[in-house]
Amino acid sequence: MQRLFDTALVLFGVVTLVFFLSAVIPGDPVDVMLGEHASSADREALRSAMGLDRPLHIRWADYLSGLLRGDLGTSLVRSRPVADLIAERLPATLSMALAAFVVILLIALPMGLLAAHFKGGPVDRAAAVFALLGQSIPNFWLGPLLVLLFSIRLGWLPVSGNESPAAILLPAITLGTSLAAVSMRMLRASLLEVLSQDYVRTARAKGVSRLKAILWHALPNALLPVVTLLGLQLGALLSGAVITEVVFAWPGIGSLLIDAIRQRDYPLIQGVVLVIAVAYVLINLLTDLLVRRLDPRIAAAEGDRP
Amino acid sequence: MRLSLLILLLWLIAALAGVVLPLRPDEIDLEQLFAPPTGGDAWLGRDELGRSLGARLLDGAGISLLVASVTVLISAALGTLIGALAGYLGGWWDRVISRLIEVFLAFPGLLLAIALAAFLGPGIDNVIMALSVMGWVGYARLARNQVLSLRQREHVLAAVALGRRTPDVIRLHLLPLMLAPLLVEASYGIASAVIAEAGLSFLGLGVQPPQASWGAMIREGVRYLLVAPHLVLVPGAALSLVVLAANLFGDGLRDRLDVTSRNRR
């Protein structure tokens, strides 16, 4: 209950912050819409028609009440509701984020297990190098590198766009790799910690092999912190998608955001930023609730029953 | 640790060289478009306008060093101050500042910086401002947690009992003990600021042409990936090396200073 209240408060703060972004614009949206040569009478007319001549706190209250009705405002350039524009682009972003999430799982789970099993060996060291590289190579360089290798040198995959089903592979790998590196390290550390606990030692003493001990006894408990991290990453995928979508000309909300920025379409920018941030907060809330279900110790420690 | 220091030192030298040497990173030579990295007269080849990639790389090193160091200085100073005050004063101050920290943490990754840069408009000073608004939160959270655990120490209680003013207590008795974890956070902060600056410039929100930035160089080079891959490979390799070095440096510093409570986003 406390958690839900906290989330509501954070959401309120996020909305407020996104609204006040518009207060830092040098000049105002009217200059964008009318161009530099408009007469000052026209400017004033449009300004009052859009309600920009009213005080900031009134406009803020308006923005809030609009949001409660699902109204994100109207695009300055496209003259269509921002909510519709985002809804059109959302499926492309979600499918890419989901594919990247699968990439994270496919890389992080086996590599984390192997690194923990062969701790200190060459496999572990290779995994550590991969993790370091994954965290240091930015998306907007990894993307072109993969295109260079798989699309241009080898000719296996399309360069950009999303016409064929295979086109999702490179964006997903680009987006997933750096996050997979973090999860892999987390899983390895968490496994090693659990492996040193008494119940695992008991299982080993009873003759369970090390591999079996890892898979059956250690993994379920070691996964808990990883689940929390994966939740955080699912949110990070949505924002990381902005750069990756630009690299691959992927028609999701990330490229919508960059188009909006180029056209100085402020309501649309606010809308996309708000949708991503709110999704991030909600995903974190859901992850928290999930971990609470998976781990009864948390609820017991706080003294309330789920 | 040694290798990473060497790379960071090279970065510094490259940045200084970009300022000191009589380079002309904007000089156009249409005779030599896309000259390859080896064999031509220009070091590391030439780009789509025949500009020297080597000169632009050095120029970009200066930009990334400037943006990263100023950003880290501003966000570390601001974040530490805010976080330390919250932890020290407690009560309502702490509650309000903690909520504020949560709201800023609710924006994933670069999103807040992208949004701010979009509204402020492009330019180096706006990039620094956007990245500092994104960056202060990490230091604030770290400083708050540190102060909360340190302020019950006896030397702090003694200083308070002796009537030291709050700013003096924080500066003389708390800050020296917080320095180690803050330094570690700052070296990771350099890595993320370098990536973020390049990311904003890649999106066209950062440094504006003809000024060279590694991110902007990758952005322009991607269009010619088929004919001249070195336009993307050269700045990307420099960028990744610096980020790698800063991350390794942070790891080394952490192990050396033995900071047990790691606080990394």
Side-chain angles (χ1 to χ4, degrees), chain A residues 6 9-10 13-14 17 21 25-26 132 135-136 138 140-141 145 148 152 239 247 261 266 280-281, chain B residues 99 102-103 105-108 118-119 198-199 202 205 218 226 232-233 236-237 239-240 244 247-248:
Chain A
D6 287 350
L9 215 58
V10 167
V14 166
L17 192 59
L21 279 177
I25 310 175
L132 200 59
Q135 277 172 274
S136 303
F140 50 87
W141 196 46
L145 282 185
L148 209 53
I152 296 177
S239 68
V247 172
I261 291 174
Y266 297 117
Y280 186 60
V281 173
Chain B
R99 290 289 175 217
E102 275 175 48
V103 168
L105 283 177
F107 285 86
F119 278 88
F202 174 79
L205 299 172
I218 296 178
L226 211 54
V232 169
L233 294 179
L239 175 64
S240 300
L244 184 72
N247 273 332
L248 274 176

mmCIF file of all heavy atoms in Angstrom, chain A residues 6 9-10 13-14 17 21 25-26 132 135-136 138 140-141 145 148 152 239 247 261 266 280-281, chain B residues 99 102-103 105-108 118-119 198-199 202 205 218 226 232-233 236-237 239-240 244 247-248:
data_model
loop_
_atom_site.group_PDB
_atom_site.id
_atom_site.type_symbol
_atom_site.label_atom_id
_atom_site.label_comp_id
_atom_site.label_asym_id
_atom_site.label_seq_id
_atom_site.Cartn_x
_atom_site.Cartn_y
_atom_site.Cartn_z
ATOM 1 N N ASP A 6 3.766 5.741 -2.795
ATOM 2 C CA ASP A 6 5.050 6.293 -3.234
ATOM 3 C C ASP A 6 5.090 6.427 -4.747
ATOM 4 O O ASP A 6 5.516 7.454 -5.281
ATOM 5 C CB ASP A 6 6.205 5.370 -2.797
ATOM 6 C CG ASP A 6 6.445 5.461 -1.304
ATOM 7 O OD1 ASP A 6 5.859 6.363 -0.681
ATOM 8 O OD2 ASP A 6 7.189 4.624 -0.775
ATOM 9 N N LEU A 9 3.111 9.293 -5.993
ATOM 10 C CA LEU A 9 3.811 10.553 -5.722
ATOM 11 C C LEU A 9 4.921 10.793 -6.754
ATOM 12 O O LEU A 9 5.091 11.895 -7.273
ATOM 13 C CB LEU A 9 4.402 10.504 -4.307
ATOM 14 C CG LEU A 9 4.414 11.819 -3.551
ATOM 15 C CD1 LEU A 9 3.020 12.363 -3.428
ATOM 16 C CD2 LEU A 9 5.052 11.635 -2.184
ATOM 17 N N VAL A 10 5.671 9.728 -7.057
ATOM 18 C CA VAL A 10 6.747 9.850 -8.039
ATOM 19 C C VAL A 10 6.169 10.195 -9.408
ATOM 20 O O VAL A 10 6.691 11.061 -10.116
ATOM 21 C CB VAL A 10 7.572 8.544 -8.113
ATOM 22 C CG1 VAL A 10 8.472 8.548 -9.341
ATOM 23 C CG2 VAL A 10 8.416 8.383 -6.863
ATOM 24 N N GLY A 13 5.387 13.747 -9.565
ATOM 25 C CA GLY A 13 6.621 14.512 -9.744
ATOM 26 C C GLY A 13 7.123 14.457 -11.174
ATOM 27 O O GLY A 13 7.554 15.480 -11.731
ATOM 28 N N VAL A 14 7.055 13.271 -11.781
ATOM 29 C CA VAL A 14 7.528 13.112 -13.155
ATOM 30 C C VAL A 14 6.708 13.991 -14.101
ATOM 31 O O VAL A 14 7.257 14.705 -14.948
ATOM 32 C CB VAL A 14 7.435 11.623 -13.582
ATOM 33 C CG1 VAL A 14 7.583 11.484 -15.084
ATOM 34 C CG2 VAL A 14 8.498 10.808 -12.869
ATOM 35 N N LEU A 17 7.659 17.602 -13.635
ATOM 36 C CA LEU A 17 8.965 17.905 -14.216
ATOM 37 C C LEU A 17 8.864 18.015 -15.741
ATOM 38 O O LEU A 17 9.405 18.949 -16.342
ATOM 39 C CB LEU A 17 9.959 16.806 -13.822
ATOM 40 C CG LEU A 17 11.420 17.080 -14.102
ATOM 41 C CD1 LEU A 17 11.864 18.336 -13.379
ATOM 42 C CD2 LEU A 17 12.278 15.905 -13.656
ATOM 43 N N LEU A 21 9.504 21.412 -18.192
ATOM 44 C CA LEU A 21 10.495 21.475 -19.264
ATOM 45 C C LEU A 21 10.143 22.596 -20.236
ATOM 46 O O LEU A 21 11.008 23.303 -20.750
ATOM 47 C CB LEU A 21 10.513 20.156 -20.045
ATOM 48 C CG LEU A 21 11.290 18.990 -19.459
ATOM 49 C CD1 LEU A 21 11.108 17.770 -20.339
ATOM 50 C CD2 LEU A 21 12.754 19.333 -19.338
ATOM 51 N N ILE A 25 12.130 26.732 -22.467
ATOM 52 C CA ILE A 25 12.332 27.022 -23.887
ATOM 53 C C ILE A 25 12.754 28.473 -24.064
ATOM 54 O O ILE A 25 12.117 29.362 -23.512
ATOM 55 C CB ILE A 25 11.027 26.846 -24.691
ATOM 56 C CG1 ILE A 25 10.380 25.520 -24.409
ATOM 57 C CG2 ILE A 25 11.279 27.008 -26.179
ATOM 58 C CD1 ILE A 25 9.038 25.371 -25.097
ATOM 59 N N PRO A 26 13.818 28.709 -24.818
ATOM 60 C CA PRO A 26 14.107 30.089 -25.188
ATOM 61 C C PRO A 26 13.065 30.531 -26.229
ATOM 62 O O PRO A 26 12.913 29.880 -27.253
ATOM 63 C CB PRO A 26 15.506 30.016 -25.788
ATOM 64 C CG PRO A 26 15.741 28.583 -26.113
ATOM 65 C CD PRO A 26 14.769 27.748 -25.356
ATOM 66 N N LEU A 132 32.928 -6.117 -19.705
ATOM 67 C CA LEU A 132 33.586 -4.812 -19.739
ATOM 68 C C LEU A 132 33.385 -4.133 -21.095
ATOM 69 O O LEU A 132 33.048 -2.951 -21.184
ATOM 70 C CB LEU A 132 35.075 -5.006 -19.465
ATOM 71 C CG LEU A 132 35.817 -3.767 -19.002
ATOM 72 C CD1 LEU A 132 35.201 -3.242 -17.729
ATOM 73 C CD2 LEU A 132 37.285 -4.089 -18.783
ATOM 74 N N GLN A 135 29.792 -2.948 -21.620
ATOM 75 C CA GLN A 135 29.426 -1.723 -20.919
ATOM 76 C C GLN A 135 30.109 -0.496 -21.506
ATOM 77 O O GLN A 135 29.681 0.623 -21.266
ATOM 78 C CB GLN A 135 29.798 -1.839 -19.442
ATOM 79 C CG GLN A 135 28.756 -2.573 -18.628
ATOM 80 C CD GLN A 135 29.267 -2.822 -17.225
ATOM 81 O OE1 GLN A 135 29.944 -3.796 -16.961
ATOM 82 N NE2 GLN A 135 28.951 -1.925 -16.314
ATOM 83 N N SER A 136 31.197 -0.705 -22.250
ATOM 84 C CA SER A 136 31.970 0.447 -22.715
ATOM 85 C C SER A 136 31.672 0.835 -24.163
ATOM 86 O O SER A 136 31.981 1.946 -24.572
ATOM 87 C CB SER A 136 33.465 0.166 -22.576
ATOM 88 O OG SER A 136 33.777 -0.137 -21.243
ATOM 89 N N PRO A 138 29.273 2.049 -26.833
ATOM 90 C CA PRO A 138 27.931 2.637 -26.890
ATOM 91 C C PRO A 138 27.104 2.062 -28.046
ATOM 92 O O PRO A 138 27.649 1.611 -29.050
ATOM 93 C CB PRO A 138 28.204 4.125 -27.103
ATOM 94 C CG PRO A 138 29.567 4.204 -27.660
ATOM 95 C CD PRO A 138 30.317 3.015 -27.176
ATOM 96 N N PHE A 140 25.382 3.430 -30.318
ATOM 97 C CA PHE A 140 25.481 4.062 -31.639
ATOM 98 C C PHE A 140 26.809 3.736 -32.317
ATOM 99 O O PHE A 140 27.042 4.164 -33.446
ATOM 100 C CB PHE A 140 25.252 5.565 -31.555
ATOM 101 C CG PHE A 140 26.059 6.257 -30.501
ATOM 102 C CD1 PHE A 140 27.332 6.713 -30.765
ATOM 103 C CD2 PHE A 140 25.544 6.431 -29.243
ATOM 104 C CE1 PHE A 140 28.071 7.336 -29.789
ATOM 105 C CE2 PHE A 140 26.281 7.048 -28.252
ATOM 106 C CZ PHE A 140 27.544 7.498 -28.530
ATOM 107 N N TRP A 141 27.680 2.992 -31.621
ATOM 108 C CA TRP A 141 28.849 2.472 -32.341
ATOM 109 C C TRP A 141 28.686 0.978 -32.611
ATOM 110 O O TRP A 141 29.017 0.497 -33.690
ATOM 111 C CB TRP A 141 30.143 2.722 -31.574
ATOM 112 C CG TRP A 141 31.361 2.558 -32.438
ATOM 113 C CD1 TRP A 141 31.532 3.077 -33.692
ATOM 114 C CD2 TRP A 141 32.546 1.814 -32.159
ATOM 115 N NE1 TRP A 141 32.762 2.702 -34.193
ATOM 116 C CE2 TRP A 141 33.406 1.932 -33.263
ATOM 117 C CE3 TRP A 141 32.972 1.056 -31.059
ATOM 118 C CZ2 TRP A 141 34.664 1.328 -33.323
ATOM 119 C CZ3 TRP A 141 34.222 0.462 -31.111
ATOM 120 C CH2 TRP A 141 35.060 0.589 -32.234
ATOM 121 N N LEU A 145 28.765 -1.126 -36.258
ATOM 122 C CA LEU A 145 29.730 -2.221 -36.362
ATOM 123 C C LEU A 145 29.043 -3.507 -36.802
ATOM 124 O O LEU A 145 29.536 -4.219 -37.680
ATOM 125 C CB LEU A 145 30.413 -2.475 -35.007
ATOM 126 C CG LEU A 145 31.518 -1.536 -34.552
ATOM 127 C CD1 LEU A 145 32.125 -2.030 -33.261
ATOM 128 C CD2 LEU A 145 32.593 -1.441 -35.624
ATOM 129 N N LEU A 148 28.046 -3.296 -40.365
ATOM 130 C CA LEU A 148 29.236 -3.453 -41.202
ATOM 131 C C LEU A 148 29.573 -4.925 -41.381
ATOM 132 O O LEU A 148 29.875 -5.386 -42.486
ATOM 133 C CB LEU A 148 30.406 -2.726 -40.521
ATOM 134 C CG LEU A 148 31.517 -2.164 -41.391
ATOM 135 C CD1 LEU A 148 30.942 -1.277 -42.460
ATOM 136 C CD2 LEU A 148 32.485 -1.379 -40.528
ATOM 137 N N ILE A 152 26.892 -5.757 -44.482
ATOM 138 C CA ILE A 152 27.707 -5.343 -45.623
ATOM 139 C C ILE A 152 28.751 -6.408 -45.974
ATOM 140 O O ILE A 152 28.816 -6.863 -47.108
ATOM 141 C CB ILE A 152 28.360 -3.979 -45.326
ATOM 142 C CG1 ILE A 152 27.257 -2.926 -45.165
ATOM 143 C CG2 ILE A 152 29.308 -3.585 -46.448
ATOM 144 C CD1 ILE A 152 27.727 -1.554 -44.800
ATOM 145 N N SER A 239 14.220 3.524 -23.084
ATOM 146 C CA SER A 239 14.941 4.769 -23.358
ATOM 147 C C SER A 239 16.142 4.503 -24.259
ATOM 148 O O SER A 239 16.474 5.301 -25.128
ATOM 149 C CB SER A 239 15.389 5.419 -22.063
ATOM 150 O OG SER A 239 16.382 4.641 -21.450
ATOM 151 N N VAL A 247 19.664 4.663 -35.099
ATOM 152 C CA VAL A 247 20.721 3.951 -35.824
ATOM 153 C C VAL A 247 20.125 3.115 -36.957
ATOM 154 O O VAL A 247 20.637 3.109 -38.075
ATOM 155 C CB VAL A 247 21.534 3.041 -34.874
ATOM 156 C CG1 VAL A 247 22.480 2.163 -35.664
ATOM 157 C CG2 VAL A 247 22.305 3.876 -33.870
ATOM 158 N N ILE A 261 11.822 16.510 -32.000
ATOM 159 C CA ILE A 261 12.827 17.468 -31.548
ATOM 160 C C ILE A 261 13.318 18.314 -32.716
ATOM 161 O O ILE A 261 13.480 19.526 -32.609
ATOM 162 C CB ILE A 261 14.007 16.720 -30.883
ATOM 163 C CG1 ILE A 261 13.566 16.104 -29.563
ATOM 164 C CG2 ILE A 261 15.179 17.666 -30.658
ATOM 165 C CD1 ILE A 261 14.594 15.228 -28.898
ATOM 166 N N TYR A 266 6.973 20.743 -29.435
ATOM 167 C CA TYR A 266 7.125 20.570 -27.986
ATOM 168 C C TYR A 266 6.098 19.645 -27.337
ATOM 169 O O TYR A 266 6.474 18.806 -26.517
ATOM 170 C CB TYR A 266 7.175 21.934 -27.296
ATOM 171 C CG TYR A 266 8.365 22.749 -27.718
ATOM 172 C CD1 TYR A 266 8.221 23.953 -28.390
ATOM 173 C CD2 TYR A 266 9.654 22.286 -27.475
ATOM 174 C CE1 TYR A 266 9.323 24.694 -28.799
ATOM 175 C CE2 TYR A 266 10.765 23.014 -27.873
ATOM 176 C CZ TYR A 266 10.586 24.217 -28.536
ATOM 177 O OH TYR A 266 11.678 24.928 -28.933
ATOM 178 N N TYR A 280 8.500 3.320 -17.343
ATOM 179 C CA TYR A 280 9.639 2.908 -16.516
ATOM 180 C C TYR A 280 9.238 2.766 -15.056
ATOM 181 O O TYR A 280 9.532 1.767 -14.400
ATOM 182 C CB TYR A 280 10.745 3.950 -16.687
ATOM 183 C CG TYR A 280 12.054 3.640 -16.023
ATOM 184 C CD1 TYR A 280 12.773 2.503 -16.367
ATOM 185 C CD2 TYR A 280 12.590 4.498 -15.070
ATOM 186 C CE1 TYR A 280 13.996 2.229 -15.775
ATOM 187 C CE2 TYR A 280 13.807 4.234 -14.473
ATOM 188 C CZ TYR A 280 14.505 3.103 -14.825
ATOM 189 O OH TYR A 280 15.698 2.849 -14.233
ATOM 190 N N VAL A 281 8.504 3.771 -14.554
ATOM 191 C CA VAL A 281 8.066 3.736 -13.152
ATOM 192 C C VAL A 281 7.136 2.549 -12.912
ATOM 193 O O VAL A 281 7.277 1.817 -11.921
ATOM 194 C CB VAL A 281 7.355 5.049 -12.779
ATOM 195 C CG1 VAL A 281 6.758 4.949 -11.391
ATOM 196 C CG2 VAL A 281 8.329 6.217 -12.844
ATOM 197 N N ARG B 99 12.332 12.639 -2.051
ATOM 198 C CA ARG B 99 11.295 12.529 -3.090
ATOM 199 C C ARG B 99 11.818 13.066 -4.430
ATOM 200 O O ARG B 99 11.594 12.495 -5.476
ATOM 201 C CB ARG B 99 10.054 13.342 -2.699
ATOM 202 C CG ARG B 99 9.287 12.764 -1.558
ATOM 203 C CD ARG B 99 8.569 11.507 -1.973
ATOM 204 N NE ARG B 99 7.933 10.905 -0.813
ATOM 205 C CZ ARG B 99 7.841 9.610 -0.597
ATOM 206 N NH1 ARG B 99 8.356 8.779 -1.473
ATOM 207 N NH2 ARG B 99 7.245 9.142 0.464
ATOM 208 N N GLU B 102 14.016 10.648 -6.030
ATOM 209 C CA GLU B 102 13.247 9.556 -6.634
ATOM 210 C C GLU B 102 12.659 9.967 -7.974
ATOM 211 O O GLU B 102 12.645 9.186 -8.924
ATOM 212 C CB GLU B 102 12.115 9.130 -5.707
ATOM 213 C CG GLU B 102 12.529 8.120 -4.657
ATOM 214 C CD GLU B 102 11.384 7.827 -3.697
ATOM 215 O OE1 GLU B 102 10.270 7.575 -4.196
ATOM 216 O OE2 GLU B 102 11.612 7.892 -2.483
ATOM 217 N N VAL B 103 12.145 11.215 -8.034
ATOM 218 C CA VAL B 103 11.537 11.675 -9.288
ATOM 219 C C VAL B 103 12.590 11.706 -10.404
ATOM 220 O O VAL B 103 12.349 11.247 -11.523
ATOM 221 C CB VAL B 103 10.897 13.064 -9.115
ATOM 222 C CG1 VAL B 103 10.538 13.662 -10.465
ATOM 223 C CG2 VAL B 103 9.660 12.968 -8.243
ATOM 224 N N LEU B 105 15.327 9.945 -10.519
ATOM 225 C CA LEU B 105 15.726 8.575 -10.836
ATOM 226 C C LEU B 105 14.682 7.867 -11.683
ATOM 227 O O LEU B 105 14.960 6.846 -12.306
ATOM 228 C CB LEU B 105 15.946 7.780 -9.547
ATOM 229 C CG LEU B 105 17.244 8.050 -8.802
ATOM 230 C CD1 LEU B 105 17.279 7.247 -7.511
ATOM 231 C CD2 LEU B 105 18.442 7.701 -9.668
ATOM 232 N N ALA B 106 13.453 8.416 -11.713
ATOM 233 C CA ALA B 106 12.386 7.779 -12.473
ATOM 234 C C ALA B 106 12.579 7.961 -13.974
ATOM 235 O O ALA B 106 11.886 7.355 -14.768
ATOM 236 C CB ALA B 106 11.031 8.331 -12.055
ATOM 237 N N PHE B 107 13.544 8.827 -14.358
ATOM 238 C CA PHE B 107 13.829 8.968 -15.785
ATOM 239 C C PHE B 107 14.972 8.040 -16.138
ATOM 240 O O PHE B 107 16.076 8.180 -15.611
ATOM 241 C CB PHE B 107 14.232 10.404 -16.124
ATOM 242 C CG PHE B 107 13.078 11.341 -16.132
ATOM 243 C CD1 PHE B 107 12.668 11.947 -14.969
ATOM 244 C CD2 PHE B 107 12.387 11.581 -17.299
ATOM 245 C CE1 PHE B 107 11.585 12.805 -14.967
ATOM 246 C CE2 PHE B 107 11.308 12.437 -17.303
ATOM 247 C CZ PHE B 107 10.911 13.049 -16.138
ATOM 248 N N PRO B 108 14.724 7.059 -17.022
ATOM 249 C CA PRO B 108 15.774 6.107 -17.323
ATOM 250 C C PRO B 108 16.863 6.714 -18.195
ATOM 251 O O PRO B 108 16.578 7.480 -19.109
ATOM 252 C CB PRO B 108 15.032 4.998 -18.062
ATOM 253 C CG PRO B 108 13.847 5.663 -18.657
ATOM 254 C CD PRO B 108 13.492 6.795 -17.746
ATOM 255 N N ALA B 118 16.606 18.976 -25.824
ATOM 256 C CA ALA B 118 15.621 19.303 -26.856
ATOM 257 C C ALA B 118 14.981 20.655 -26.575
ATOM 258 O O ALA B 118 14.762 21.449 -27.481
ATOM 259 C CB ALA B 118 14.551 18.217 -26.920
ATOM 260 N N PHE B 119 14.695 20.919 -25.291
ATOM 261 C CA PHE B 119 14.014 22.171 -24.979
ATOM 262 C C PHE B 119 14.984 23.356 -24.897
ATOM 263 O O PHE B 119 14.635 24.464 -25.243
ATOM 264 C CB PHE B 119 13.224 22.036 -23.672
ATOM 265 C CG PHE B 119 11.890 21.377 -23.875
ATOM 266 C CD1 PHE B 119 11.768 19.998 -23.824
ATOM 267 C CD2 PHE B 119 10.766 22.125 -24.156
ATOM 268 C CE1 PHE B 119 10.541 19.375 -24.037
ATOM 269 C CE2 PHE B 119 9.533 21.524 -24.364
ATOM 270 C CZ PHE B 119 9.427 20.146 -24.308
ATOM 271 N N ALA B 198 28.564 12.096 -26.324
ATOM 272 C CA ALA B 198 28.628 11.545 -27.673
ATOM 273 C C ALA B 198 27.236 11.133 -28.148
ATOM 274 O O ALA B 198 26.876 11.330 -29.306
ATOM 275 C CB ALA B 198 29.581 10.348 -27.712
ATOM 276 N N GLY B 199 26.426 10.591 -27.224
ATOM 277 C CA GLY B 199 25.076 10.180 -27.580
ATOM 278 C C GLY B 199 24.220 11.358 -28.011
ATOM 279 O O GLY B 199 23.538 11.303 -29.039
ATOM 280 N N PHE B 202 25.417 12.492 -31.273
ATOM 281 C CA PHE B 202 24.997 11.537 -32.306
ATOM 282 C C PHE B 202 23.558 11.808 -32.730
ATOM 283 O O PHE B 202 23.218 11.707 -33.904
ATOM 284 C CB PHE B 202 25.131 10.102 -31.792
ATOM 285 C CG PHE B 202 24.587 9.068 -32.735
ATOM 286 C CD1 PHE B 202 25.325 8.656 -33.828
ATOM 287 C CD2 PHE B 202 23.315 8.546 -32.554
ATOM 288 C CE1 PHE B 202 24.810 7.723 -34.727
ATOM 289 C CE2 PHE B 202 22.797 7.614 -33.439
ATOM 290 C CZ PHE B 202 23.549 7.207 -34.523
ATOM 291 N N LEU B 205 21.783 16.620 -30.990
ATOM 292 C CA LEU B 205 21.341 17.534 -29.943
ATOM 293 C C LEU B 205 22.499 18.186 -29.219
ATOM 294 O O LEU B 205 22.310 19.013 -28.344
ATOM 295 C CB LEU B 205 20.508 16.768 -28.909
ATOM 296 C CG LEU B 205 19.255 16.115 -29.448
ATOM 297 C CD1 LEU B 205 18.621 15.239 -28.387
ATOM 298 C CD2 LEU B 205 18.283 17.184 -29.877
ATOM 299 N N ILE B 218 30.482 10.132 -35.714
ATOM 300 C CA ILE B 218 29.831 8.843 -35.994
ATOM 301 C C ILE B 218 28.525 9.087 -36.738
ATOM 302 O O ILE B 218 28.207 8.413 -37.714
ATOM 303 C CB ILE B 218 29.572 8.071 -34.678
ATOM 304 C CG1 ILE B 218 30.898 7.713 -34.017
ATOM 305 C CG2 ILE B 218 28.762 6.807 -34.939
ATOM 306 C CD1 ILE B 218 30.748 6.995 -32.697
ATOM 307 N N LEU B 226 29.053 2.287 -46.221
ATOM 308 C CA LEU B 226 29.337 1.380 -47.331
ATOM 309 C C LEU B 226 30.647 1.736 -48.022
ATOM 310 O O LEU B 226 31.449 0.869 -48.354
ATOM 311 C CB LEU B 226 28.185 1.472 -48.338
ATOM 312 C CG LEU B 226 27.863 0.224 -49.138
ATOM 313 C CD1 LEU B 226 27.631 -0.954 -48.220
ATOM 314 C CD2 LEU B 226 26.604 0.493 -49.977
ATOM 315 N N VAL B 232 33.412 5.908 -39.347
ATOM 316 C CA VAL B 232 32.729 5.497 -38.125
ATOM 317 C C VAL B 232 33.695 4.781 -37.184
ATOM 318 O O VAL B 232 33.644 4.951 -35.971
ATOM 319 C CB VAL B 232 31.533 4.575 -38.468
ATOM 320 C CG1 VAL B 232 30.977 3.937 -37.222
ATOM 321 C CG2 VAL B 232 30.456 5.355 -39.183
ATOM 322 N N LEU B 233 34.581 3.984 -37.765
ATOM 323 C CA LEU B 233 35.472 3.158 -36.940
ATOM 324 C C LEU B 233 36.409 4.010 -36.092
ATOM 325 O O LEU B 233 36.608 3.736 -34.910
ATOM 326 C CB LEU B 233 36.288 2.208 -37.831
ATOM 327 C CG LEU B 233 35.469 1.143 -38.558
ATOM 328 C CD1 LEU B 233 36.356 0.264 -39.431
ATOM 329 C CD2 LEU B 233 34.701 0.287 -37.557
ATOM 330 N N GLY B 236 34.637 5.999 -33.163
ATOM 331 C CA GLY B 236 34.022 5.028 -32.257
ATOM 332 C C GLY B 236 35.062 4.312 -31.409
ATOM 333 O O GLY B 236 34.858 4.079 -30.215
ATOM 334 N N ALA B 237 36.202 3.965 -32.038
ATOM 335 C CA ALA B 237 37.258 3.279 -31.293
ATOM 336 C C ALA B 237 37.811 4.195 -30.212
ATOM 337 O O ALA B 237 38.004 3.769 -29.063
ATOM 338 C CB ALA B 237 38.369 2.840 -32.251
ATOM 339 N N LEU B 239 36.298 6.700 -28.739
ATOM 340 C CA LEU B 239 35.247 6.858 -27.725
ATOM 341 C C LEU B 239 35.195 5.650 -26.798
ATOM 342 O O LEU B 239 35.210 5.787 -25.568
ATOM 343 C CB LEU B 239 33.913 7.054 -28.447
ATOM 344 C CG LEU B 239 32.650 7.116 -27.619
ATOM 345 C CD1 LEU B 239 32.693 8.331 -26.728
ATOM 346 C CD2 LEU B 239 31.428 7.178 -28.516
ATOM 347 N N SER B 240 35.153 4.442 -27.405
ATOM 348 C CA SER B 240 35.020 3.239 -26.586
ATOM 349 C C SER B 240 36.243 3.040 -25.702
ATOM 350 O O SER B 240 36.130 2.603 -24.558
ATOM 351 C CB SER B 240 34.810 2.014 -27.471
ATOM 352 O OG SER B 240 33.650 2.179 -28.230
ATOM 353 N N LEU B 244 36.053 2.775 -21.758
ATOM 354 C CA LEU B 244 36.603 1.559 -21.163
ATOM 355 C C LEU B 244 37.630 1.917 -20.093
ATOM 356 O O LEU B 244 37.621 1.384 -18.983
ATOM 357 C CB LEU B 244 37.253 0.711 -22.254
ATOM 358 C CG LEU B 244 37.809 -0.651 -21.855
ATOM 359 C CD1 LEU B 244 36.671 -1.595 -21.573
ATOM 360 C CD2 LEU B 244 38.699 -1.212 -22.944
ATOM 361 N N ASN B 247 35.989 3.364 -16.989
ATOM 362 C CA ASN B 247 35.347 2.307 -16.209
ATOM 363 C C ASN B 247 36.374 1.486 -15.448
ATOM 364 O O ASN B 247 36.214 1.191 -14.262
ATOM 365 C CB ASN B 247 34.550 1.377 -17.135
ATOM 366 C CG ASN B 247 33.143 1.895 -17.377
ATOM 367 O OD1 ASN B 247 32.580 2.583 -16.540
ATOM 368 N ND2 ASN B 247 32.586 1.569 -18.526
ATOM 369 N N LEU B 248 37.459 1.099 -16.141
ATOM 370 C CA LEU B 248 38.515 0.313 -15.501
ATOM 371 C C LEU B 248 39.159 1.101 -14.369
ATOM 372 O O LEU B 248 39.470 0.554 -13.314
ATOM 373 C CB LEU B 248 39.587 -0.057 -16.525
ATOM 374 C CG LEU B 248 39.346 -1.312 -17.347
ATOM 375 C CD1 LEU B 248 40.454 -1.482 -18.372
ATOM 376 C CD2 LEU B 248 39.281 -2.517 -16.432
#
